[in-house]
Amino acid sequence: MPKIVLYGIDISPPVRACLLTLKALEVPFEYIEVNLFAGEHRNEEFLKKNPQHTVPLLDDNGTYIWDSHAICCYLVDKYGKTDELYPKDLVKRAHINQRLFFDASVFFMSLRNISVPNFYKKVDKVPQEKIDNVRDGYVHLENFLGDNLYLTGNNFNISDFCCAATASSLPAVLEMDPHKFPKIKAWLGRLEKLPYYKEANKDGAEKYIKMLKNVLTVV
Ligand code: GSF
C-alpha cells in the first residue's frame, strides 16, 4: 500500500470532506496538521507541494493533489473497493459532479468569502449580500435534496461529504433554520449516524462555528 498523507486542519470544511472520504474508504493515512494561523501553508516546503497554498493537500506517494473535490474523486477512483461513493456510470457521475462543483464554486465559497477575511485580516463586519449568498446556498441544497435521502439519490456519495462539511460549518455565519430547511436538517441527521462522522466532521465543524460565531457583525 503506498503512503498517503493528508495535510490539513480540522476546522477546515474541505479538509473534513477528505477525512470523511478516507474514513469511508477505510484507507490508512497519515494526517499532518498545517497551522494556517502560523502561516505554515505559505512556507517554502508547502508551496513546493501546493503553490495555491490551500489545505487540504493530498500526498499519495509523491503525487500531490489539492482541492478537496479533486482529492475525493481521486481517492474513490484509486482506492474504492466499489465505485459506490463516485459511480463510473456517466449520468450518475455527472449528477455528483454538479453537486461537487456547486460546493466548490458556490456553497463553500459563500463561507470562505466571509471566513478568510476574518481569519487573516480580522475583518469582522460582513455585508448583508454575503449573508444572502449563504442563504441562497441553503435554498439550493434544500431543492437538490427533493424527495431523496441524499444529494443525488438514496445512497450517499462524495458530493454528500463535500456539501455536508460545508453545510455543517455554515451556521458559523448564518443559522440554518430547521423550519425553512427541514430536508437539510434530516439529511445531516442521516449522515451523523455514520460511525466516523463525529471524528471526521462534527467535532471540527463545532470548533469552526465556535471560532467565528459572535465575532461577526452584519452591516
Ligand atoms: C478550497 C480550500 C480552501 O479554501 C478545496 O480544497 O475544496 N476549493 C478548495 N482552504 C482554506 C482553508 S479553509 O477556509 O477551509 C485554505 O487553505 N486557506 C489558506 C489560503 O491561503 O487560501
Side-chain angles (χ1 to χ4, degrees):
M1 189 64 135
K3 188 171 175 219
I4 296 177
V5 181
L6 184 73
Y7 291 86
I9 184 167
D10 294 7
I11 55 159
S12 160
V15 169
R16 287 186 262 114
C18 296
L19 290 172
L20 284 164
T21 303
L22 284 161
K23 293 282 180 188
L25 292 170
E26 298 178 340
V27 172
F29 65 99
E30 186 188 345
Y31 183 55
I32 296 184
E33 173 140 338
V34 180
N35 186 341
L36 299 181
F37 301 99
E40 286 177 7
H41 59 309
R42 285 181 182 264
N43 70 29
E44 207 184 317
E45 201 190 333
F46 191 85
L47 287 174
K48 267 191 218 148
K49 297 177 182 135
N50 175 5
Q52 203 185 325
H53 49 77
T54 51
V55 290
L57 167 68
L58 185 81
D59 172 0
D60 184 5
N61 219 26
T63 297
Y64 298 110
I65 300 166
W66 64 93
D67 190 282
S68 56
H69 311 86
I71 293 171
C72 294
C73 295
Y74 172 84
L75 285 170
V76 181
D77 279 345
K78 183 155 180 195
Y79 295 108
K81 289 177 194 118
T82 69
D83 69 353
E84 206 179 327
L85 289 173
Y86 191 45
K88 292 202 166 54
D89 175 272
L90 206 59
V91 173
K92 285 186 185 159
R93 187 165 277 215
H95 288 149
I96 293 170
N97 286 342
Q98 182 273 314
R99 271 52 165 168
L100 291 174
F101 297 150
F102 164 74
D103 185 57
S105 60
V106 176
F107 201 41
F108 175 66
M109 287 310 289
S110 73
L111 179 58
R112 194 186 195 278
N113 287 339
I114 297 172
S115 61
V116 163
N118 180 266
F119 290 159
Y120 303 115
K121 294 189 181 148
K122 298 278 165 263
V123 175
D124 56 6
K125 307 255 183 305
V126 183
Q128 182 62 47
E129 304 92 83
K130 288 193 177 183
I131 300 292
D132 293 345
N133 290 338
V134 174
R135 203 202 36 242
D136 289 349
Y138 281 142
V139 171
H140 290 312
L141 198 67
E142 182 80 5
N143 286 336
F144 293 164
L145 279 161
D147 294 327
N148 293 328
L149 296 177
Y150 296 101
L151 279 182
T152 63
N154 290 326
N155 297 309
F156 62 87
N157 56 58
I158 54 170
S159 70
D160 294 281
F161 291 162
C162 291
C163 290
T166 300
S168 58
S169 309
L170 278 174
V173 296
L174 179 68
E175 212 53 70
M176 206 259 317
D177 181 345
H179 301 293
K180 283 191 192 139
F181 306 112
K183 291 174 182 176
I184 299 179
K185 185 175 164 26
W187 164 73
L188 284 175
R190 280 188 282 278
L191 290 168
E192 274 191 30
K193 293 198 182 104
L194 294 171
Y196 45 85
Y197 183 87
K198 183 178 180 315
E199 188 196 347
N201 188 54
K202 195 171 197 250
D203 293 347
E206 280 170 3
K207 245 194 262 175
Y208 185 88
I209 292 170
K210 225 175 174 177
M211 269 183 66
L212 267 183
K213 218 176 164 153
N214 306 323
V215 168
L216 305 171
T217 313
V218 182
V219 290

